[in-house]
Amino acid sequence: MSEHEAPRVVRPVRNQLSLQPTDLEALVPDEHPVRAIWTLVERLDLSAFYDEIASRGSNAGRPATDPAVLLALWLFANSEGVGSARLLERLCERDAPYRWICGGVPVNHHTLADFRVEHGKKLDRLMTQVLAALMKEGVVQLRRVAQDGMKVRASAGAASFRRRQSLERCRKEAEEQVRKLRREIESDPSASTKRVQAAKERAAQARLDAVEAALAEVEVVEKQRVERDEKKPSDARRRGEIRVSTTDAESRVMKMADGGFRPAYNVQFATDESGVIVGTDVTNNGTDQPHVVPMLDEIRRRTGETPREYLVDGGFVTLDNIEAIAERGATPYAPLPKPKSKAVDPHAPKRNDTPAIGAWRVRMGTEDAKRVYVQRGVLAERTNADLRVHRRLDRLNVRGLVKVKTIVLLAAISFNIMRLIASRLSA
């Protein structure tokens, strides 16, 4: 071979038209999880989703995207830790399992994002449907349930939290900006400039709406603080000025797992010993104590039953909560508060204890109770870790309690569906 001859290589030709037949069925193996998810979605009662579709029969209008496709996409995306609508749109164009779900149905990130946050009540009913299926198959028996909370980072920066005086000043500035832009639009004869100005006005109005929402939330926080101070006047002196975010008014600064303080929501889960989530809740109250009774009522609403054993950590422990758990027919397992004096036996009933409180103190001193309580970490913390790591429920990309609740519901449904699929495969 001559040293001066050019090497022969196969070079890309990108302007050549080609027809490439695609068999979507052949792209996804029969045992792939996406097929099991789609089969389960087809069996769910999605009539509430279809009832809202306006395009019917020969009526004019563009056909709607099939809700079953959108639901299956989000369920499978959650199982793979995908939480972004834009990323999901890209996956639907290039990834075989997502393309298989779509089956040629075009989707965009706007449709995906809207579907995820606009159907909270329907997703709530789907959660109950999936739990009913798990109970019917004997997977969930509600013999032992553990509750735990985790703080999830809100979509708001620490610098967005402002005092009332600062919010009032921001509102005046935003109102003036809106008025100024409207005057410019009315006086400018250029159509193109009007469109630009209209976009600026919408942005200014959105800023004004955010500030007004923050001011309204200040009123809510002030009312809550007054109620708390009436119960514990000694705590009133330690409270600082109220600050509310102009980005996500309903978020609150909370102490996180690493000890730092950041804007977050308190996400609560109740996990059955089968590993299935049987209850969810989201609040902007950073403490866990107020969430025991609502979660027990949530489990009862979804399943029609009360757990026989209920496990919580020390953050949930109050005498009222222990009493409430027992009143609802569950046996409470929770750590006893450490006595101030070493001479006091924490497991001995006290003079003013009710029968339920006294029984709890005695119970937690037994070896059987210690073996039961060890399961709390196995159940609750494993669920939290799975949702944080595998389903990316560590930072929210939506704002407001209503939307955050739909994100959490969707994650819980996906979690439970994978449990249901696993139980059927192992049967």
Side-chain angles (χ1 to χ4, degrees):
M1 181 184 71
S2 173
E3 295 181 0
H4 301 290
E5 293 184 28
R8 293 197 306 274
V9 295
V10 180
R11 295 184 178 275
V13 180
R14 299 187 177 92
N15 59 356
Q16 176 67 49
L17 296 178
S18 61
L19 295 176
Q20 297 180 351
T22 302
D23 181 6
L24 290 176
E25 286 291 340
L27 293 179
V28 179
D30 292 341
E31 67 278 6
H32 198 284
V34 73
R35 290 184 179 272
I37 289 176
W38 179 255
T39 300
L40 191 57
V41 168
E42 285 187 312
R43 294 178 181 176
L44 292 173
D45 180 8
L46 304 182
S47 57
F49 292 90
Y50 290 102
D51 288 344
E52 291 188 352
I53 295 176
S55 300
R56 295 181 178 276
S58 59
N59 294 344
R62 182 172 173 268
T65 303
D66 190 347
V69 170
L70 297 174
L71 178 62
L73 284 172
W74 274 120
L75 291 175
F76 183 63
N78 266 269
S79 72
E80 294 201 322
V82 176
S84 165
R86 291 181 182 273
L87 175 56
L88 182 50
E89 178 187 1
R90 293 195 293 271
L91 289 171
C92 290
E93 295 173 354
R94 70 188 188 203
D95 198 76
Y98 295 93
R99 291 171 59 199
W100 182 86
I101 293 175
C102 290
V105 176
V107 295
N108 58 61
H109 65 272
H110 290 295
T111 302
L112 291 165
D114 291 345
F115 179 84
R116 181 172 58 168
V117 299
E118 291 180 353
H119 299 288
K121 291 182 179 179
K122 300 181 189 65
L123 291 174
D124 185 85
R125 289 193 287 270
L126 283 182
M127 175 80 171
T128 303
Q129 278 190 57
V130 174
L131 279 177
L134 286 160
M135 293 181 72
K136 184 177 180 180
E137 297 192 8
V139 178
V140 173
Q141 298 181 356
L142 294 177
R143 187 174 72 90
R144 182 175 297 156
V145 171
Q147 180 179 349
D148 197 17
M150 67 177 186
K151 310 302 191 302
V152 181
R153 182 72 158 82
S155 180
S160 68
F161 283 76
R162 299 174 181 269
R163 301 181 182 91
R164 177 187 285 276
Q165 295 87 339
S166 178
L167 290 171
E168 294 284 3
R169 186 170 61 253
C170 289
R171 178 164 65 179
K172 291 178 181 178
E173 293 173 357
E175 288 174 341
E176 178 57 32
Q177 181 68 8
V178 170
R179 286 194 294 268
K180 178 182 176 182
L181 288 169
R182 286 176 179 170
R183 288 195 299 268
E184 290 179 2
I185 292 173
E186 292 171 357
S187 62
D188 192 338
S190 171
S192 60
T193 304
K194 280 187 176 181
R195 286 195 293 271
V196 173
Q197 291 295 90
K200 291 180 179 179
E201 183 188 351
R202 288 194 297 273
Q205 185 63 49
R207 171 66 175 171
L208 176 59
D209 293 342
V211 173
E212 289 181 340
L215 281 166
E217 199 66 22
V218 168
E219 301 286 346
V220 174
V221 178
E222 286 178 343
K223 183 178 179 181
Q224 292 172 346
R225 179 171 290 190
V226 169
E227 292 173 353
R228 288 197 299 269
D229 290 346
E230 288 176 352
K231 294 179 180 179
K232 292 185 177 181
S234 59
D235 292 348
R237 295 190 300 272
R238 299 198 297 268
R239 303 195 193 280
E241 288 189 77
I242 294 172
R243 296 171 183 259
V244 175
S245 172
T246 55
T247 305
D248 184 355
E250 292 184 296
S251 66
R252 298 288 185 269
V253 175
M254 300 181 185
K255 187 174 182 179
M256 309 298 280
D258 61 2
F261 289 83
R262 288 181 287 279
Y265 285 93
N266 190 351
V267 180
Q268 298 281 323
F269 292 107
T271 307
D272 181 73
E273 65 178 338
S274 61
V276 172
I277 297 172
V278 294
T280 65
D281 194 16
V282 181
T283 75
N284 53 14
N285 188 330
T287 59
D288 289 332
Q289 291 176 355
H291 304 133
V292 172
V293 173
M295 183 60 77
L296 282 167
D297 294 342
E298 163 85 352
I299 296 171
R300 181 77 183 181
R301 177 179 69 87
R302 290 196 183 281
T303 65
E305 299 180 21
T306 298
R308 293 191 285 280
E309 298 174 349
Y310 205 67
L311 286 59
V312 295
D313 65 20
F316 294 89
V317 174
T318 65
L319 297 184
D320 288 341
N321 282 341
I322 298 299
E323 188 75 27
I325 294 171
E327 285 178 353
R328 282 162 172 75
T331 302
Y333 289 85
L336 295 166
K338 189 175 181 180
K340 295 180 181 179
S341 172
K342 293 183 179 179
V344 176
D345 181 5
H347 302 111
K350 296 185 178 182
R351 183 177 58 185
N352 297 326
D353 282 349
T354 64
I357 300 298
W360 164 62
R361 293 188 194 276
V362 173
R363 182 186 313 112
M364 295 310 297
T366 65
E367 292 301 318
D368 286 343
K370 292 175 183 178
R371 283 193 292 271
V372 170
Y373 187 70
V374 166
Q375 297 300 310
R376 190 207 67 82
V378 176
L379 297 177
E381 294 177 12
R382 182 180 62 186
T383 300
N384 289 355
D386 183 284
L387 292 167
R388 280 191 186 277
V389 176
H390 298 298
R391 293 167 215 284
R392 303 294 181 186
L393 196 61
D394 56 344
R395 187 181 183 110
L396 298 162
N397 53 12
V398 298
R399 296 164 183 165
L401 265 172
V402 173
K403 291 184 178 181
V404 172
K405 285 181 178 180
T406 62
I407 297 293
V408 171
L409 267 174
L410 195 58
I413 293 170
S414 173
F415 182 92
N416 286 350
I417 280 179
M418 298 310 294
R419 287 282 178 183
L420 180 57
I421 291 170
S423 70
R424 288 179 175 177
L425 290 175
S426 61

